[in-house]
Amino acid sequence: RDQLHYNEKEDYYVCPIGQRMDKIAEGKKTTKSGYKQTYSKYRAKNCTGCPIRGACFKGKNKRVVERNHTLEHYKQKAREDLLSEIGQAKLKKRTADVEPVFAHVKHNRNFKRFTHRGLEKVELEFGLHALAHNIRKKSA
């Protein structure tokens, strides 16, 4: 789907050989976490005899593509934010601030996975690891 051209103005996709894929349906899904999503389905008109069908998709019927417009909007905004000058500066700062701490806790303290289950117990366990890390830094 990411390799197909999407015409936002008229709301359709274009397949690799130039065939228009019109919207056929809209639906709603609920994720495992309970978030409700709205998506649109687009279908190619005729895939029979297409010379690049094997490279395009492996199904027996016509190609169908799903698109979550809200999710695509958020992904595009995140991409723009990360590629901005401020985003690049924050990424550089993160490598110096956050990553070494987690690497130290995981590698030197041998913390590979949580031993307790449940959000409260996990928060407590990680809090103890963070406390030990901070005490070690203060004493050094």
Side-chain angles (χ1 to χ4, degrees):
R1 180 184 59 86
D2 294 332
Q3 305 298 322
L4 301 175
H5 173 72
Y6 177 68
N7 184 325
E8 194 170 344
K9 192 180 208 181
E10 297 182 34
D11 194 23
Y12 67 87
Y13 275 97
V14 178
C15 81
I17 62 166
Q19 185 178 169
R20 184 173 164 151
M21 300 173 71
D22 291 317
K23 185 192 298 189
I24 57 168
E26 284 196 14
K28 295 185 179 199
K29 289 182 185 176
T30 304
T31 62
K32 291 180 183 178
S33 61
Y35 184 75
K36 292 179 177 31
Q37 295 180 332
T38 304
Y39 65 94
S40 301
K41 280 189 175 184
Y42 302 85
R43 182 173 56 202
K45 293 183 193 290
N46 186 13
C47 293
T48 310
C50 178
I52 61 167
R53 181 184 172 114
C56 186
F57 82 112
K58 307 285 189 251
K60 293 180 181 178
N61 299 321
K62 298 173 188 170
R63 179 157 188 194
V64 177
V65 173
E66 285 186 11
R67 179 185 176 95
N68 182 337
H69 295 284
T70 309
L71 180 62
E72 294 297 326
H73 170 74
Y74 286 128
K75 283 182 178 179
Q76 182 61 33
K77 184 169 177 7
R79 255 184 241 111
E80 290 169 4
D81 289 347
L82 285 172
L83 295 175
S84 70
E85 287 183 33
I86 296 171
Q88 293 292 317
K90 285 185 178 181
L91 278 174
K92 286 180 184 175
K93 187 177 178 185
R94 178 191 165 128
T95 59
D97 289 347
V98 179
E99 298 296 336
V101 174
F102 284 110
H104 173 76
V105 170
K106 287 174 72 175
H107 184 73
N108 297 339
R109 308 285 306 155
N110 200 25
F111 179 66
K112 303 294 181 205
R113 60 177 45 186
F114 291 101
T115 56
H116 296 88
R117 298 288 171 245
L119 187 57
E120 289 179 18
K121 292 178 183 175
V122 167
E123 284 177 348
L124 181 64
E125 183 178 355
F126 188 75
L128 290 171
H129 281 287
L131 182 66
H133 177 76
N134 289 337
I135 289 171
R136 189 161 195 264
K137 275 176 50 176
K138 285 287 186 189
S139 67

